[in-house]
């Protein structure tokens, strides 16, 4: 796997989308969710949202994309809206957007999130996952990562490289997308009542969160909506690449009314 040091410091044109997707997919956060994403996976939803926005005559909608990972699919939504002549103001949030690369000596580096949790290790130029599998007990990799974690805890705070954990491609649209580190389970006053369109793709998954956590996150999405009429899309991509989701419209009474479905619909329809 490509190391964080090479990903963020190498020439952008030397990194292909497969390397980029592999890099983000191998990042597991402390809450055991992955920053997995890939270009093109949400195209079906992009087209649906563009149609709905156009139907409503919104020319400059405020769009919120949550749990964006590298932001590559946010960039695609931005491009799809622009191609339809729409000029959106896009905000993209994720639990882990601010990272730092720390040199631990002897050819070892670590990529950390803003809380100091390791997201990737690098050894002799090769990127390695920072989380453990059961088999790692047998191979000794668990011992090695435990040692590197101790080095991280002792590493000086100075001389670290700060990086935005965002796709190099998506970063080229930085003027059009505001990337904000944000925990969707905690209400953020800066986002209240602002958005015409909200997308939560591959984050509100039952595999990741319990019903109470999901309910709190859904309530936060409702709080970030501009008001009645706001479109809220919730979708999950299955392992076979098929998408299943629902687009809801916020009603006067604050209820989410389903107006469109993709595949079998959202797996959290009942909670919404
Ligand atoms: C599987 S990725 C989905 C990326 C993108 N939306 C897509 O569909 O390609 C899930 C993202 O949710 C983020 N995430 C996990 N827990 C979160 C939380 N509590 N608040 C905000 N983002 C979170 C992870 O960092 C990860 O980038």
């Amino acid at each position: 796997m490509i190391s964080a040091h090479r990903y963020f410091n190498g020439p952008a044109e030397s990194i292909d989308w497969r390397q980029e997707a592999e890099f983000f997919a191998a990042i597991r956060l402390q809450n055991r969710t992955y920053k997995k994403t890939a270009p093109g996976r949400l195209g079906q939803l992009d087209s649906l949202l563009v149609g709905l926005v156009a139907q409503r005559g919104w020319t400059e909608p405020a769009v919120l994309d949550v749990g964006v990972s590298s932001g590559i699919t946010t960039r695609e939504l931005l491009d799809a809206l622009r191609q339809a002549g729409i000029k959106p103001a896009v905000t993209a949030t994720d639990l882990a957007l601010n990272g730092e690369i720390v040199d631990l000596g002897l050819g070892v580096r670590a990529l950390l999130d803003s809380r100091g949790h390791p997201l990737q290790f690098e050894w002799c130029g090769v990127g390695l996952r920072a989380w453990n599998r059961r088999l790692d007990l047998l191979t000794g990799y668990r011992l090695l990562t435990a040692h590197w974690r101790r080095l991280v805890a002792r590493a000086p705070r100075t001389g670290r490289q700060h990086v935005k954990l965002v796709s190099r491609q998506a970063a080229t649209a930085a003027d059009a997308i505001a990337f904000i580190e944000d925990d969707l389970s905690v209400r953020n006053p800066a986002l209240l009542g602002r958005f015409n369109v909200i997308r939560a793709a591959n984050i509100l998954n039952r595999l990741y969160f319990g019903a109470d956590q999901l309910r709190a996150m859904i309530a936060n999405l409702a709080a970030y909506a501009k008001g009645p009429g706001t479109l809220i899309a919730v979708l999950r991509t299955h392992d076979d690449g098929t998408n299943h989701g629902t687009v809801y419209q916020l009603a006067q009474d604050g209820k989410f009314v389903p107006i469109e479905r993709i595949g079998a619909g959202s797996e959290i329809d009942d909670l919404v």
Side-chain angles (χ1 to χ4, degrees):
M1 179 191 1
I2 188 169
S3 73
H5 183 260
R6 215 190 112 209
Y7 179 73
F8 289 107
N9 296 296
E13 56 287 359
S14 71
I15 296 151
D16 68 40
W17 73 264
R18 268 193 202 83
Q19 281 178 312
E20 180 174 283
E22 193 191 30
F23 171 71
F24 283 101
I27 291 182
R28 189 171 91 166
L29 308 188
Q30 219 162 1
N31 70 359
R32 293 171 177 260
T33 62
Y34 291 83
K35 265 180 94 80
K36 182 176 172 184
T37 187
R41 78 197 301 221
L42 304 179
Q44 207 180 354
L45 179 58
D46 290 348
S47 310
L48 187 59
L49 288 176
V50 169
L52 291 170
V53 168
Q55 257 176 30
R56 281 155 182 74
W58 294 343
T59 51
E60 295 182 7
V63 176
L64 173 66
D65 198 9
V66 299
V68 299
S69 177
S70 74
I72 189 67
T73 52
T74 313
R75 171 71 200 259
E76 289 173 342
L77 176 59
L78 170 73
D79 291 345
L81 288 162
R82 281 179 167 174
Q83 271 159 25
I86 298 159
K87 293 184 187 139
V90 181
T91 301
T93 67
D94 195 277
L95 187 58
L97 280 180
N98 300 318
E100 49 185 22
I101 299 173
V102 51
D103 195 333
L104 302 174
L106 299 175
V108 182
R109 289 193 183 98
L111 170 67
L112 310 177
D113 69 12
S114 54
R115 290 157 287 271
H117 173 74
L119 302 176
Q120 191 205 60
F121 289 115
E122 174 187 337
W123 193 17
C124 300
V126 179
L128 301 165
R129 66 187 150 79
W131 45 277
N132 287 118
R133 296 186 175 134
R134 225 171 265 170
L135 202 66
D136 293 344
L137 268 175
L138 299 177
T139 61
Y141 187 63
R142 192 175 285 255
L143 283 176
L144 196 61
T145 52
H147 173 60
W148 289 339
R149 274 169 215 283
R150 281 192 293 276
L151 293 183
V152 166
R154 280 190 249 132
R157 302 249 136 231
T158 51
R160 299 180 174 197
Q161 181 188 1
H162 293 273
V163 290
K164 252 317 187 222
L165 298 171
V166 162
S167 149
R168 301 276 305 264
Q169 238 190 89
T172 59
D175 56 327
I177 304 175
F179 285 99
I180 301 174
E181 192 169 88
D182 177 72
D183 183 347
L184 184 56
S185 64
V186 180
R187 192 155 299 180
N188 182 342
L191 302 177
L192 290 178
R194 284 180 43 195
F195 300 96
N196 306 101
V197 180
I198 300 179
R199 182 171 73 170
N202 295 303
I203 170 169
L204 297 180
N205 298 356
R206 288 185 183 272
L207 190 70
Y208 288 161
F209 304 107
D212 286 347
Q213 275 174 302
L214 288 168
R215 277 198 198 93
M217 290 175 167
I218 296 162
N220 286 339
L221 293 185
Y224 301 155
K226 198 157 197 159
T230 290
L231 298 171
I232 303 174
V234 178
L235 174 139
R236 178 167 169 201
T237 310
H238 288 192
D239 289 342
D240 63 3
T242 58
N243 284 319
H244 302 272
T246 306
V247 181
Y248 309 90
Q249 184 167 292
L250 203 64
Q252 288 286 352
D253 59 4
K255 286 208 174 104
F256 287 47
V257 180
I259 54 164
E260 294 281 352
R261 282 207 164 83
I262 291 178
S266 164
E267 65 185 43
I268 60 160
D269 261 346
D270 57 332
L271 294 179
V272 172

